[in-house]
Amino acid sequence: EPEVTQTPSHQVTQMGQEVILRCVPISNHLYFYWYRQILGQKVEFLVSFYNNEISEKSEIFDDQFSVERPDGSNFTLKIRSTKLEDSAMYFCASAYRGNTEAFFGQGTRLTVV
Amino acid sequence: GQQVMQIPQYQHVQEGEDFTTYCNSSTTLSNIQWYKQRPGGHPVFLIQLVKSGEVKKQKRLTFQFGEAKKNSSLHITATQTTDVGTYFCVENTGTASKLTFGTGTRLQVTL
């Protein structure tokens, strides 16, 4: 069964460093999303991406964040100058159409120290 | 911003008991999806409801969409330990570019 894959599964970074979280969505999907979940809390929307551009972003997704689909298969989330409060589980998801089920990856646990 | 509230936040049941979680929005929803997240896992799609008053069943799970499309519920009959996890209702906006997760209900089932 096709699945969304995310790498790495866990990343520890120093405060102020840049991190890149990687995702490989399901190959024929057109909509891509990044979410984050602070331990045990709500799943928060960050950004959606369609047709090679950002469709929508939340207030969390400020200039510190950026997304890219560099090569037609990978979908990356870059966090510049990480802060302690960026520590969370980051989930990538993809969907064939916007109104259909979204498939989530296993997540990347980011720990900022 | 848009917030989809779920109640209860947490429920602990004995195996075999029923469980219901409710999802409420302040606005009319275009459609609603339900996801389950096992402890330490990722959200997994369960179902999508689109029509006013729609009821769908998956084995022991019954999903309902309110007539006014402002609320939804998930009912599990005769819970099992495999039902443990957090259940999220998720609004898919009309633009189809954003999934707004509800606050979630964490279900614990013990023998």
Side-chain angles (χ1 to χ4, degrees):
Chain A
E1 184 176 312
E3 60 179 17
V4 176
T5 57
Q6 290 186 243
T7 54
S9 56
H10 189 190
Q11 175 135 14
V12 181
T13 190
Q14 296 268 343
M15 191 169 54
Q17 296 295 305
E18 174 182 287
V19 295
I20 297 176
L21 310 183
R22 302 180 192 280
C23 170
V24 179
I26 294 172
S27 62
N28 65 340
H29 284 188
L30 303 175
Y31 290 81
F32 314 113
Y33 309 86
W34 281 102
Y35 284 81
R36 77 174 185 190
Q37 185 177 35
I38 295 168
L39 186 62
Q41 297 185 25
K42 188 181 168 183
V43 180
E44 298 178 296
F45 170 78
L46 292 177
V47 67
S48 59
F49 194 85
Y50 169 72
N51 202 25
N52 288 319
E53 61 183 21
I54 290 175
S55 299
E56 196 161 347
K57 58 184 181 179
S58 71
E59 58 274 11
I60 301 169
F61 194 89
D62 57 20
D63 292 344
Q64 185 194 4
F65 295 87
S66 62
V67 289
E68 234 185 5
R69 189 157 160 79
D71 56 13
S73 62
N74 291 285
F75 181 50
T76 61
L77 174 68
K78 183 188 289 186
I79 309 175
R80 287 179 280 275
S81 190
T82 50
K83 300 176 277 204
L84 294 176
E85 54 265 37
D86 294 327
S87 295
M89 181 71 88
Y90 287 80
F91 290 108
C92 171
S94 71
Y96 177 63
R97 289 194 305 267
N99 279 316
T100 57
E101 68 179 282
F103 291 78
F104 283 76
Q106 303 283 346
T108 293
R109 179 167 297 285
L110 176 66
T111 303
V112 182
V113 296
Chain B
Q2 172 70 23
Q3 180 121 4
V4 183
M5 302 299 296
Q6 284 183 253
I7 53 170
Q9 277 189 302
Y10 171 73
Q11 185 148 10
H12 184 177
V13 299
Q14 297 283 325
E15 191 177 48
E17 292 181 336
D18 292 356
F19 159 77
T20 305
T21 172
Y22 300 91
C23 174
N24 296 289
S25 174
S26 56
T27 61
T28 302
L29 305 172
S30 51
N31 61 66
I32 197 104
Q33 297 178 349
W34 284 90
Y35 289 75
K36 177 184 178 182
Q37 184 179 28
R38 293 182 187 276
H42 59 282
V44 174
F45 176 84
L46 294 176
I47 208 152
Q48 176 166 290
L49 304 170
V50 178
K51 299 176 186 174
S52 166
E54 189 170 16
V55 177
K56 286 188 177 179
K57 293 193 176 185
Q58 287 179 351
K59 297 182 180 177
R60 294 178 296 104
L61 277 61
T62 302
F63 304 84
Q64 191 160 8
F65 203 6
E67 292 290 342
K69 299 183 76 173
K70 286 188 173 183
N71 56 74
S72 182
S73 65
L74 158 60
H75 179 82
I76 303 178
T77 304
T79 54
Q80 300 174 357
T81 54
T82 52
D83 295 324
V84 164
T86 301
Y87 292 85
F88 292 98
C89 61
V90 179
E91 182 202 8
N92 190 311
T93 67
T95 63
S97 62
K98 181 178 177 181
L99 302 174
T100 300
F101 274 70
T103 48
T105 296
R106 186 161 70 92
L107 173 64
Q108 179 64 28
V109 181
T110 51
L111 295 170

